[in-house]
Structures are given as structure tokens and as C-alpha cells.
Amino acid sequence: EAGVAQSPRYKIIEKRQSVAFWCNPISGHATLYWYQQILGQGPKLLIQFQNNGVVDDSQLPKDRFSAERLKGVDSTLKIQPAKLEDSAVYLCASSLAPGTNSPLHFGNGTRLTVT
Amino acid sequence: AQKITQTQPGMFVQEKEAVTLDCTYDTSDPSYGLFWYKQPSSGEMIFLIYQGSYDQQNATEGRYSLNFQKARKSANLVISASQLGDSAMYFCAMREGNTNAGKSTFGDGTTLTVKP
């Protein structure tokens, strides 16, 4: 099966600019996640979708971050305006179901550098 | 409170030897799953092994086994016969079923280096 697709792979922007990341999950996977991984740390959940509804966005900085999942498939994550501390790898993951026994399948991530 | 704690920032092991990576977790949810993921320097996150909270036996997957001690809330990963390709960052993660709608929480990881 095709894996989770993410683009772009790398992005360099200046602070206060905007940026968008795209994710296409594994076909049939109802649950989609966006994680932020700062260098040397574990992934931190930003938002979790179940189909096209938001399940958890408690750690999403909503003043600058937004995410949507149209038609329950592809998803985009946007940052506007970016800050220096947003430099990180943004990982998209999907799982077949939200159940406790369903592992996450990750994309290769987008490495964002804010200068 | 930290839900997943990995106390070993870095570990070294000699090739062909076994190594244990520690993980403790905190939850009041009776239904949860514990996972280990491997992240090589290339960045992709790879699922290794899963243990359910109701599973009576420790999970095994090839050279990977999970030492699950429910009363101590620990879920240590054991890698047997280490290979150079095992050098990577390893993350312990938990999914809680009833209280958090399947949200996955990760620890801060352990960097494993396998020496030839």
C-alpha cells in the first residue's frame, strides 16, 4: 500500500511569513494527525482528525496555526505568521481507526526553518 | 504530568548484544495501547511493536520484545542481537482509549548507538 505522502520535504521562510504543508494519508485511514517535532524531542500532537471532524486541537496555537481536512482525506496545516520557534519537523500520520491497538503510519515529514 | 517518560537520553550497545530501552507511562484509563517507534537519522518514523493493556503475554516481533509490567506502569523495549542498522532514536508512545479518543502521546526518545 502507498504510504502517507507529505509535501514539501523542506521549507525555509522568514519570520512573519506564512507557510502551508500538505498531507495525503493512507487510503481508508479515518484518523489523521499532525505532529510537531522539535530537534531532540518527541513528537507533540497539534491536531487530530477523525474523518473530517476535529477530535483534539488542544495544543494547536490557534492564533497562528490552522488545519483542515477536506472530505475526510487530504489535510493541510498552515502557519501564519511564522515565528522562529516554529522551526521544527512537521509530521503527518494516519491510522486505520482511533482504537488503542492501531499504530500510526507516518509520512517523511516537512522540515521547516524559520529565519 | 508527563504521560510517557523515557529516562535514557542516549544508550550504547555492542553489536550482537541485547539492549533494553526504558519506558514508563502514566494513565488512569484501563484501556490503552503501548507502542514503540524507531526514527533513523533519515527522519521517517517506523512502527516496531505494540502491547495492549489487557494482553496477558509480552509482545514479540522478530528481534524486538516488549517487557510489559502493568503494575509498575513500564513497557521496556528489548532489542536482541543488535545490528549496526539499529542505531536510531526510539520513541515509546501510548494511546488511551476511553479518555482521549485514541490520542497518541510520545516520550522524548532514546538515542541508541550500536558499536561495531
Side-chain angles (χ1 to χ4, degrees):
Chain A
E1 64 181 5
V4 176
Q6 283 190 253
S7 67
R9 206 52 220 283
Y10 304 93
K11 191 75 178 177
I12 301 173
I13 61 172
E14 295 182 352
K15 59 183 178 184
R16 291 187 290 273
Q17 286 188 323
S18 63
V19 65
F21 313 126
W22 174 82
C23 172
N24 182 246
I26 292 173
S27 177
H29 280 200
T31 314
L32 185 146
Y33 309 78
W34 283 102
Y35 284 87
Q36 180 193 60
Q37 187 177 21
I38 292 171
L39 187 64
Q41 297 182 16
K44 175 186 129 183
L45 180 68
L46 293 175
I47 189 166
Q48 175 183 341
F49 292 95
Q50 180 66 22
N51 296 308
N52 60 350
V54 175
V55 173
D56 186 338
D57 63 356
S58 57
Q59 296 195 80
L60 187 74
K62 297 181 187 65
D63 57 334
R64 298 184 301 107
F65 286 64
S66 64
E68 60 181 6
R69 188 181 185 195
L70 298 174
K71 299 180 182 178
V73 183
D74 292 11
S75 178
T76 56
L77 176 70
K78 296 178 182 176
I79 308 175
Q80 182 180 11
K83 292 185 175 181
L84 295 176
E85 60 258 36
D86 297 332
S87 293
V89 175
Y90 290 84
L91 294 166
C92 179
S94 68
S95 68
L96 189 59
T100 58
N101 63 346
S102 189
L104 270 58
H105 299 262
F106 285 84
N108 287 327
T110 296
R111 184 177 297 277
L112 174 67
T113 303
V114 183
T115 63
Chain B
Q2 189 84 332
K3 289 220 170 190
I4 298 286
T5 303
Q6 295 182 254
T7 56
Q8 307 151 314
M11 289 281 286
F12 291 90
V13 65
Q14 208 66 36
E15 195 178 6
K16 298 178 187 172
E17 291 187 350
V19 64
T20 298
L21 306 184
D22 294 342
C23 172
T24 57
Y25 60 92
D26 183 29
T27 181
S28 56
D29 195 325
S31 175
Y32 55 89
L34 298 158
F35 301 81
W36 279 90
Y37 294 86
K38 172 184 178 182
Q39 189 176 44
S41 56
S42 53
E44 76 268 31
M45 193 80 81
I46 303 162
F47 163 66
L48 295 177
I49 193 167
Y50 156 80
Q51 179 85 42
S53 59
Y54 296 116
D55 293 345
Q56 296 296 313
Q57 294 196 324
N58 287 340
T60 60
E61 199 70 54
R63 293 186 300 110
Y64 304 109
S65 60
L66 202 152
N67 184 359
F68 180 46
Q69 298 186 50
K70 195 169 181 176
R72 298 179 64 182
K73 292 189 175 178
S74 76
N76 299 338
L77 176 70
V78 180
I79 305 175
S80 63
S82 296
Q83 301 172 356
L84 296 178
D86 293 335
S87 292
M89 197 140 182
Y90 289 80
F91 292 98
C92 180
M94 176 172 64
R95 297 190 79 168
E96 297 167 280
N98 297 333
T99 56
N100 276 299
K103 173 180 171 179
S104 276
T105 306
F106 285 76
D108 279 333
T110 295
T111 301
L112 177 67
T113 304
V114 180
K115 295 179 173 180

